């Protein structure tokens, strides 16, 4: 094509391919949260009537009752209510 620098086009194409590979190999947004030790058991127990009681999900019960000041020390994240 006249007036088009094919070296620039090829460089951009290579850069796009590299970025596409990186995006396709990345984990899906929120996937670590869905597979976490807190959310996974909750998801399994939601279909059972009364399945989210404190004795069925002690980890959830403890997490819900943590003081807000302690939560970042335990998990490294902020707890929003």
């Amino acid at each position: 094509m006249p007036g088009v620098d094919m070296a620039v086009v090829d460089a951009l194409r290579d850069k796009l391919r590299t970025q596409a590979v990186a995006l396709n190999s990345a984990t899906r947004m929120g996937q670590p949260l869905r597979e976490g030790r807190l959310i996974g058991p909750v998801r399994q127990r939601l279909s059972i009537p009364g399945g989210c009681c404190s004795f069925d999900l002690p980890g959830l019960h403890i997490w819900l009752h943590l003081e807000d000041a302690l939560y970042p020390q335990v998990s490294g994240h902020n707890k929003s209510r």
Side-chain angles (χ1 to χ4, degrees):
M1 288 187 257
V4 176
D5 187 355
M6 292 308 290
V8 172
V9 171
D10 290 337
L12 287 172
R13 184 180 306 138
D14 291 339
K15 187 174 181 178
L16 286 172
R17 284 185 184 142
T18 303
Q19 295 298 322
V21 168
L23 285 172
N24 287 331
S25 65
T27 59
R28 295 185 310 181
M29 187 181 304
Q31 189 67 28
L33 179 63
R34 285 190 289 274
E35 294 174 352
R37 292 180 13 198
L38 180 64
I39 301 299
V42 172
R43 289 181 65 200
Q44 291 174 347
R45 304 291 298 186
L46 281 176
S47 62
I48 302 170
C52 290
C53 295
S54 62
F55 55 84
D56 287 321
L57 297 167
L60 176 64
H61 181 73
I62 292 168
W63 179 80
L64 288 172
H65 291 91
L66 279 177
E67 293 293 326
D68 289 337
L70 295 176
Y71 184 73
Q73 296 171 5
V74 173
S75 70
H77 295 87
N78 289 328
K79 176 177 155 186
S80 59
R81 291 184 187 197

